Amino acid sequence: METQKSKLYFASDFHLGAPNYASSREREAWIVSWLDHIKHDAAELFLMGDIFDFWFEYATAVPKGFIRLQGKLAELSDAGTKIYFFKGNHDMWVFDYFKKEFGMEIINDELLIERHGKKFLLHHGDGLGPGDASYKFLKKIFRSELCQWLFARLHPNLGIGIANYWSSKSRLASYKKEGDITQQYEETFIKSFYKQLKHDYGNFDHLVMGHRHFPTQFKLDEETLYTNLGEWVNYSYYAVFDGIELKLLDWNKHHEK
């Protein structure tokens, strides 16, 4: 008897492509094993940014690789799982390829949803909060139609080669964990702009993000639970909502059972 698809799953920051092909392929297989586990009861899957360490869609070409992940996502989509793809700071140049191939809904920034009477504010997390003015400025430039048009003029071998070089210099390329983020630091940072989020979006029960690479879950107040999904280079965390509770789980520990 087929299990009813009723759960919501959330994951972020796979950073496929970093730091090299061999380790990325190993991580991709690990992610596919997780997707294979959830496919029987996943009503909706939220991929919340930086799934790829770099992605750019040319009119007639996309980056090589990641075919096992794409095949598994196609399988989930064909079986009725609704998939959402959030643009992260590493894969902001996703356009319509995944929508055409898998029926994914592409999310540019935030998404506010309500499920089973609970409101969720979902965002990759880049550009939120105080500070980081230089990145916020660059984000506007990189997302501009002019910048995308200019990059598309580069031959894929050159454009993707340049991007892969940048990725090799990223903070995850060395497989190091986020050394400057602790539980206390994360709580202080999120609470610094939590009131502004409530002003902009109203009350919500869950704030779910990626980007900051530190898997954690804590109450912002009596009403709202904050969840950061972490990343899959050093961790393998995901969140699942069963209609009542949102749990942050470790796929490594679950897989060992």
Side-chain angles (χ1 to χ4, degrees):
M1 183 176 179
E2 185 177 353
T3 303
Q4 182 180 2
K5 295 178 181 290
S6 60
K7 295 181 179 179
L8 279 60
Y9 286 91
F10 307 82
S12 185
D13 293 82
F14 296 160
H15 285 276
L16 288 174
N20 53 56
Y21 177 81
S23 57
S24 179
R25 270 287 291 112
E26 183 178 351
R27 186 161 69 259
E28 182 184 19
W30 193 234
I31 294 164
V32 167
S33 72
W34 170 67
L35 291 171
D36 200 51
H37 171 74
I38 72 171
K39 67 181 181 182
H40 305 290
D41 61 8
E44 297 177 276
L45 171 62
F46 299 83
L47 300 175
M48 296 189 59
D50 286 359
I51 300 306
F52 307 102
D53 207 53
F54 171 76
W55 185 273
F56 186 88
E57 293 174 23
Y58 291 86
T60 56
V62 296
K64 290 170 60 177
F66 324 120
I67 194 65
R68 290 161 183 82
L69 172 67
Q70 293 181 57
K72 184 56 65 175
L73 291 174
E75 180 184 341
L76 265 70
S77 178
D78 290 346
T81 299
K82 175 67 177 179
I83 305 176
Y84 302 79
F85 190 107
F86 288 67
K87 293 182 180 180
N89 49 301
H90 280 254
D91 48 19
M92 66 176 67
W93 287 343
V94 166
F95 303 128
D96 62 354
Y97 174 72
F98 295 129
K99 182 176 179 62
K100 287 181 178 179
E101 292 297 322
F102 314 128
M104 288 186 186
E105 184 170 340
I106 308 301
I107 309 300
N108 287 320
D109 291 295
E110 74 284 336
L111 178 66
L112 188 63
I113 63 171
E114 183 172 347
R115 300 290 187 271
H116 300 282
K118 300 291 185 180
K119 292 183 179 180
F120 294 75
L121 178 58
L122 311 175
H123 196 291
H124 175 61
D126 61 317
L128 291 182
D132 211 4
S134 59
Y135 168 71
K136 293 175 182 178
F137 176 72
L138 287 174
K139 180 178 179 180
K140 291 182 179 180
I141 294 177
F142 289 155
R143 285 202 174 188
S144 70
E145 292 184 1
L146 175 61
C147 182
Q148 294 166 11
W149 184 87
L150 289 173
F151 194 89
R153 308 280 74 77
L154 298 177
H155 188 281
N157 288 350
L158 177 60
I160 294 175
I162 292 173
N164 286 337
Y165 174 78
W166 287 340
S167 293
S168 71
K169 304 299 182 182
S170 72
R171 55 187 172 178
L172 279 176
S174 63
Y175 264 51
K176 292 180 180 179
K177 295 183 180 180
E178 296 298 307
D180 59 345
I181 295 182
T182 64
Q183 184 76 12
Q184 182 178 5
Y185 181 91
E186 188 71 358
E187 290 189 26
T188 301
F189 177 78
I190 299 302
K191 289 178 179 178
S192 70
F193 61 93
Y194 171 54
K195 288 184 179 180
Q196 184 63 49
L197 291 177
K198 294 191 73 172
H199 176 269
D200 293 341
Y201 301 104
N203 293 332
F204 45 87
D205 301 283
H206 294 280
L207 172 61
V208 183
M209 291 170 32
H211 181 60
R212 294 176 60 74
H213 298 169
F214 183 72
T216 187
Q217 193 172 54
F218 54 82
K219 296 287 286 187
L220 288 166
D221 54 26
E222 292 184 0
E223 179 184 62
T224 304
L225 181 68
Y226 170 70
T227 302
N228 192 286
L229 301 164
E231 42 85 0
W232 280 61
V233 176
N234 298 289
Y235 309 101
S236 299
Y237 279 83
Y238 65 97
V240 56
F241 180 65
D242 60 6
I244 300 174
E245 183 180 7
L246 180 68
K247 296 180 180 179
L248 183 64
L249 303 175
D250 185 348
W251 176 234
N252 281 321
K253 292 182 178 178
H254 181 92
H255 197 267
E256 291 172 355
K257 294 180 179 179

